[in-house]
Amino acid sequence: MIIQALYEYYQRKASDPNNKIAPEGFEWKPIPFLIVLDSQGNLIRFEDTRQQEGKKKVAKPYLVPQGEKKSMGVKANLLWDSAEYVLGVNPRDRKDIEQRRQAFIEKQHHILDPFSDRPQVKAIFTFLENFEAVAYSQNTADEVWREILETNPNLTFRIQGDSGLTVSDNLRDVLTGLNIASDGDFRTGRCLVSGKQGLISRIHPSIKGVYGAQVAGAALISFQKNSGYDSYGKEQNYNAPVSKSVTFAYTTALNLLLAKGSRNRMQIGDASVVFWAQKRNTIFEQTFKTFFVQTRQESDDPDKDVSKVSNSLYSILTGIPPEECSSGFYILGLSPNAARISVRFWHAGTIQEFADNILQHFTDLELEGGNAEDSKLSLSYLLTSTVLDWKQDSIPPNLAGSTVRAILDNQPYPAPLLQQCIRRIRAEQKIYHIRAAILKAYLNRRNRSIHTNKEKEITVALDKDNTNVGYRLGRLFAALEKIQEDASEGRKLNSTIRERYYSSASSSPVTAFPQLLKLKNHHLAKIDKPAYKIAHEKRLAEIMGELPTSIPAHMNIEDQARFAIGYYHQRQDFFKKSVDKEGEDNE
């Protein structure tokens, strides 16, 4: 299904005349230097194609024949390769440098001899026959040549006066459809994806751009040779026969989706995620990334640069055009695994299904307090709020992927998300809006899934009818903290009851609340205004009226979450209706 969807994506891109996706047998490759020849094959100059971007020089990409997969051994490319192969220079002091040079020359002759009457082919053959790197170094020592010797860059050819940017452009008519791979890399068979007879690829091109994978790329489909996968004479990828055309299409499409700057990729934790629509470029596809990641500055400061889904983007979820609703949409999460790539998750559905599930995710996060858009925070901000110093690197492995899966499938959030959030609250004794929202959404989604709506959902604002012990104790803790604040009359305290007792009160209430209730009497005695005392006493009576006669010794992690939400709700209620106001009413 994944390969099929990627194959269809390639077909969709290839059918767009404005899209520059590489045609079959070619690839876009950054080429830092061009070898400019005259029509007789004489070297005119080495041309630097790099352009300054920030502090780096970036090579210009050119369309060249698809390169060989060089995991080991000597394999040369057609019309382009590193300076070691093309020129025979030896910057890395290799012992097989002459073998590499000879392999490049033989590859050109093997493929291009039938077209030796073409002037471009003649010029290249003449250059390869006559060029001597040692002699050129002795006679010419310009800056460009020194860089070529030091960096071993990729090079290709251009004939001066030709219309094409490189020789590959001039020879595309004869190169299209040729089998330019090394002998023995294909076998005739039936493709599992297309169902047609054709050349089957023994090994597939590497996939690049997966975070943490090898720089040279890794394989999505790969069978280790001589390791138990060679039954019935089917070694390596002949075990999963995919035709040459489909192999090229799916690898090219996936490399395009994973490319740097692609708007169809995002990094969530350790998972590299790509997404695409089935048929055409849709608004949902263009904005999908914004629902999950911060698009601009990453910040570890919770009070700055908080990325939110704007109302205009949010409205996209509720206003999918009818013609896009039933269109297929795919989401693929990848992570590295040595020389291979692991599929972390794969989701296929319609745009309307995904939009509904994302909308439900935002609805579950809605909570009183914060700004109007705080219920639409990006996933990256959501996850960083549960780790030390709000750093992306501190997010536990697998948490991002499992959370994305829960959102896209409208399933309960993973338990580690709740555990991380509770652990961070207990460590910092700070219940931010986002953390309370995570706890509320986690409990409601879990109850909705497991308890089939038998348990009352946690509300957006303070719920005085909620009789859960954890929720009530959280409210009671907030009320006791408020009494201490009013007793201090604005004076700075050495330590508040939240700083001293939150952890024990939320996990082992019986060890904390007897002492807190004693302190309450001491704090109430310091409040001068009788109306304030009455308001506090009335609130305590209302909260404690539904508590059991004995305070529980321990609370499980879900009741600890309800404790935090009850505390947050009660604190938010203070902002809506101050004790001062209540005092005035009572007077």
Side-chain angles (χ1 to χ4, degrees), residues 58 78 85-86 161 167 270 296 361 365 443 469 548 559 569:
V58 179
L78 179 64
Y85 281 88
V86 180
V167 170
D270 63 339
R296 286 290 178 185
H361 161 69
L365 285 173
L443 292 174
V469 176
D559 278 338
H569 273 170

Side-chain angles (χ1 to χ4, degrees), residues 332-560:
L332 176 62
L334 303 170
S335 62
N337 183 7
R340 295 176 175 79
I341 295 173
S342 298
V343 175
R344 295 290 293 278
F345 52 85
W346 164 249
H347 295 273
T350 65
I351 286 179
Q352 186 64 61
E353 290 170 350
F354 284 122
D356 289 344
N357 290 342
I358 295 172
L359 190 62
Q360 182 63 53
H361 161 69
F362 288 135
T363 302
D364 288 332
L365 285 173
E366 287 180 354
L367 191 67
E368 186 181 46
N371 297 321
E373 294 184 352
D374 275 359
S375 62
K376 313 178 191 72
L377 295 167
S378 68
L379 179 62
S380 56
Y381 183 64
L382 203 75
L383 296 175
T384 53
S385 72
T386 67
V387 297
L388 179 65
D389 294 335
W390 303 66
K391 290 183 177 177
Q392 286 268 5
D393 294 341
S394 301
I395 299 173
N398 301 328
L399 181 60
S402 54
T403 305
V404 170
R405 285 199 299 273
I407 295 171
L408 297 176
D409 288 340
N410 194 22
Q411 293 295 314
Y413 294 141
L417 182 65
L418 174 71
Q419 295 158 2
Q420 277 288 124
C421 194
I422 291 292
R423 193 178 300 126
R424 188 69 357 226
I425 289 173
R426 292 183 61 181
E428 298 179 5
Q429 293 93 42
K430 292 179 180 177
I431 306 175
Y432 296 114
H433 171 269
I434 182 61
R435 289 174 179 167
I438 291 171
L439 299 177
K440 166 186 172 285
Y442 175 90
L443 292 174
N444 281 348
R445 288 171 81 94
R446 186 174 184 278
N447 292 335
R448 205 179 300 142
S449 172
I450 297 176
H451 300 297
T452 62
N453 291 328
K454 290 180 180 178
E455 189 167 329
K456 184 181 181 182
E457 288 205 348
I458 296 173
T459 54
V460 173
L462 179 65
D463 181 8
K464 293 185 177 181
D465 295 329
N466 191 328
T467 58
N468 178 272
V469 176
Y471 186 82
R472 286 267 165 178
L473 288 176
R475 289 186 58 199
L476 178 60
F477 190 80
L480 295 173
E481 184 186 36
K482 181 64 177 171
I483 293 173
Q484 184 192 35
E485 290 174 357
D486 288 349
S488 68
E489 296 181 336
R491 294 188 300 274
K492 185 176 180 181
L493 301 174
N494 291 330
S495 63
T496 66
I497 65 169
R498 175 167 53 83
E499 293 167 342
R500 294 181 59 189
Y501 292 100
Y502 183 87
S503 294
S504 58
S506 61
S507 58
S508 306
V510 74
T511 63
F513 275 96
Q515 180 64 22
L516 289 171
L517 292 173
K518 288 181 183 177
L519 286 173
K520 177 260 299 181
N521 296 330
H522 172 70
H523 293 146
L524 277 177
K526 288 186 175 181
I527 297 177
D528 296 331
K529 295 182 180 179
Y532 278 32
K533 292 183 180 180
I534 295 173
H536 283 305
E537 293 284 6
K538 285 175 64 176
R539 185 181 300 111
L540 291 175
E542 181 267 322
I543 295 172
M544 298 178 69
E546 295 294 335
L547 280 174
T549 53
S550 60
I551 296 175
H554 302 284
M555 288 202 296
N556 60 32
I557 194 165
E558 292 186 358
D559 278 338
Q560 290 180 44

Side-chain angles (χ1 to χ4, degrees), residues 10 20-31 34 60-66 78-80 156-157 164-172 175-176 248 252:
Y10 175 84
K20 293 184 178 179
I21 194 168
E24 184 174 347
F26 291 82
E27 66 175 311
W28 288 98
K29 196 75 180 178
I31 305 289
L34 297 179
K60 187 177 179 180
Y62 291 92
L63 192 63
V64 295
Q66 190 173 28
L78 179 64
L79 295 178
W80 70 277
T156 189
F157 301 95
L165 296 175
T166 67
V167 170
S168 299
D169 291 340
N170 299 111
L171 298 178
R172 194 182 305 176
L175 296 177
T176 302
F248 173 83
T252 302

